[in-house]
Amino acid sequence: MELLRGQPAIRATADLLGQVAVPAVDVDPGAKRGETPLALCIAGPHQNLLIAFDGADELGALLTARDKPLAAEDAKPVHQALVRSWGQGPARWACMRLSALLLAGGRPRDLTLGGLSRDLQLDPPPDASLSFAAWAARVQTVAQLVNRLSPELKRQEMGWASRIEASAVAPIAEMELCGMPFDAALWQRLTREAFEERRTLSQRLATHLQTVQGPDLFGGSGVNLDSDATLKAALHALGHRVPDVRRQTLALLPPPLGPDLVRYRELFKLTSAYGDSFLAHVGLDGRIHPTFEQIGASTGRLSCHNPNLQAIVKGTPHRACFRTSAERTFVIGDYAACELRILADMSDDPVFAEAFAKNEDLHARVATEIFGVKVTKHEHVELRDRAKAINFGLAYGMGAGGLARATGTDVTQARDLLAKYFRTFPKIRAFLEHNAALGLARGYAHTLTGRRLYLDVGADNDSRAQAERIAKNMPIQGTSADITKLALAHLRQALLAHPDTLLVNTVHDEIVLECPLPKAPLIAELLRTHMSRAGAEILRHTPLSVDVVLSPTWDK
DNA sequence: ATGACACGC
DNA sequence: GCGTGTCAT
């Protein structure tokens, strides 16, 4: 097969782009791993081109400057390869994987090219490693599949959700390339200190526990503090009848044993998850480059790994290791009470609506309504805490059991509290129960943009209750994900005019930018504008308020 | 491989 | 409720 280059390649590409609305593209496997790209394949359903990837800038402009999306089997790595070689990529992608994931709606499905071809009764694609011709045939199959998946998404009322996913590919792909600026030396120092403290603490704990167990061969206590089972046994031997060795349980033990054990477990976490394994993810540029899964959770939220930047402990020195250079700053945008505002919008509850319109302290307002006494951040704080626990529980789809665990009460009391809550907010109860009934009847829950999550409803009561919780919660959590993804897409386009400003991270309802210090106020306004605009596009009448913070480190 | 735990939202 | 990562079994 002919490998085109130079002017003939550009002419052929222009021809193909004129004939095919959404052509599929792919780059060679090495290019996806970050090596210099060798070859590019562009295909329509009935034609294909193979092009030598030798720095034809004109080709890049041709592919990325169009208003229409490009298609790919898995768009993110292709986008990254295009950005690495041309400094730019298209604004939207018709990604076969993401489309199939949306249609699957949380049900297990074979997302490979072969599997999807079989599902849609297309000819099985050949093995790409066989030849250039086989590769081109595969890319052609991608073009055919995307042509079939797109109308299916529309038919299932997921056109809006899929357009959001299509425009979130570029910002997410570019965020991975950017990474977060990171102070590895500081991290190393913190880890070393944690190791030291852990060692001395483990020696002190050994002398306490030794009294029952007796010293082992090596003079230690014989109790492996890192093993839940042995630690529990040792505590039983000392007469502490603990049900488990969770932090909350250990905290109740008398000093110095209790506090020491709590601190030890803390340090254990810090030295394992945050030790050298974390440093392995520092790139050659000194920055941390995680991997984002665009539809990582069944609700539509992103997931993050290697490392998981969504689980960095707040309020610890470790967080300050994410730090910009002196002449730059983070601009951190955070949706305030996002899930609750979505709940307010979707349920049309008047009290919630008023509280958010006036920007009141919602937890205090809810507590005042439920308990019939005036509650503020200072008066009757314990009542505010209980209201807050319910509000959070609702946002996360907790049942009475979960609420009891969260508040430290028994299930009866939790049920009581929930009943009181729903008497006070009948609209919220109606909305949640409507969602549960509709979800079970239709077999899926959905967000405001049409994103679906299919429920597997078993025969038993537990499985039914589980499905109901998901049906109540997914529309809220999933709509939050829709909004954040839409904001990422808007921001990516807006930041094309600010090449010195980078999109570096996102954590569910938070977006982190990095820019030069002098333009931080401008970027802060831009971040706030686009985040609230995304909210306004999806929610019907509840404004989303966005807290924006400027900081050289990643804390708020 | 799996369960327990701890972190985030 | 949804995730990821670590360790011990």
Side-chain angles (χ1 to χ4, degrees), chain A residues 174-395:
Chain A
E174 289 161 16
M175 220 158 45
E176 285 186 4
L177 289 179
C178 273
M180 287 275 272
F182 186 69
D183 187 340
L186 177 55
W187 186 275
Q188 217 150 17
R189 212 189 71 214
L190 291 173
T191 305
R192 226 181 3 252
E193 284 169 7
F195 258 113
E196 286 303 311
E197 195 187 340
R198 179 182 162 190
R199 217 184 41 203
T200 53
L201 198 52
S202 112
Q203 279 164 357
R204 195 157 85 212
L205 279 163
T207 60
H208 283 281
L209 298 168
Q210 204 169 5
T211 51
V212 279
Q213 201 90 7
D216 67 12
L217 280 173
F218 308 102
S221 66
V223 177
N224 182 358
L225 293 169
D226 304 339
S227 159
D228 300 333
T230 26
L231 177 58
K232 189 168 147 189
L235 289 172
H236 278 191
L238 276 172
H240 301 295
R241 298 179 44 78
V242 287
D244 52 56
V245 289
R246 298 210 308 260
R247 178 212 276 282
Q248 279 185 322
T249 312
L250 295 176
L252 299 174
L253 292 171
L257 187 61
D260 275 1
L261 280 171
V262 169
R263 181 65 182 150
Y264 179 84
R265 308 277 291 191
E266 236 170 65
L267 291 165
F268 173 69
K269 203 73 206 170
L270 244 47
T271 50
S272 55
Y274 288 168
D276 296 333
S277 61
F278 203 95
L279 288 169
H281 298 111
V282 179
L284 295 173
D285 54 1
R287 299 168 71 102
I288 295 268
H289 300 265
T291 303
F292 291 100
E293 300 301 328
Q294 190 168 329
I295 305 182
S298 57
T299 51
R301 297 224 284 212
L302 299 187
S303 72
C304 178
H305 57 107
N306 293 337
N308 183 4
L309 293 190
Q310 295 177 335
I312 304 297
V313 194
K314 297 178 77 175
T316 61
H318 280 81
R319 195 119 170 163
C321 295
F322 294 90
R323 133 133 120 257
T324 68
S325 59
E327 67 278 7
R328 293 171 69 82
T329 182
F330 287 131
V331 182
I332 307 163
D334 197 318
Y335 287 114
C338 188
E339 266 95 353
L340 287 175
R341 283 171 190 263
I342 293 168
L343 178 60
D345 191 76
M346 292 175 96
S347 69
D348 282 320
D349 182 88
V351 179
F352 271 52
E354 193 196 57
F356 284 132
K358 291 185 182 165
N359 230 350
E360 281 179 45
D361 174 0
L362 183 92
H363 300 315
R365 176 70 193 271
V366 165
T368 303
E369 296 281 339
I370 300 179
F371 301 113
V373 276
K374 194 181 169 214
V375 178
T376 67
K377 274 202 173 108
H378 311 289
E379 305 165 81
H380 293 106
V381 185
E382 71 291 346
L383 295 182
R384 186 182 179 275
D385 285 346
R386 283 165 73 189
K388 189 175 168 183
I390 287 214
N391 282 335
F392 266 95
L394 251 49

Side-chain angles (χ1 to χ4, degrees), chain A residues 113-118 120-126 137-138 140-142 144-145 148:
Chain A
L113 190 58
L116 289 169
S117 302
R118 191 160 8 85
L120 296 173
Q121 282 130 32
L122 260 61
D123 291 336
R138 281 178 73 88
Q140 232 176 285
T141 307
V142 172
Q144 290 164 7
L145 273 170
R148 299 272 294 274

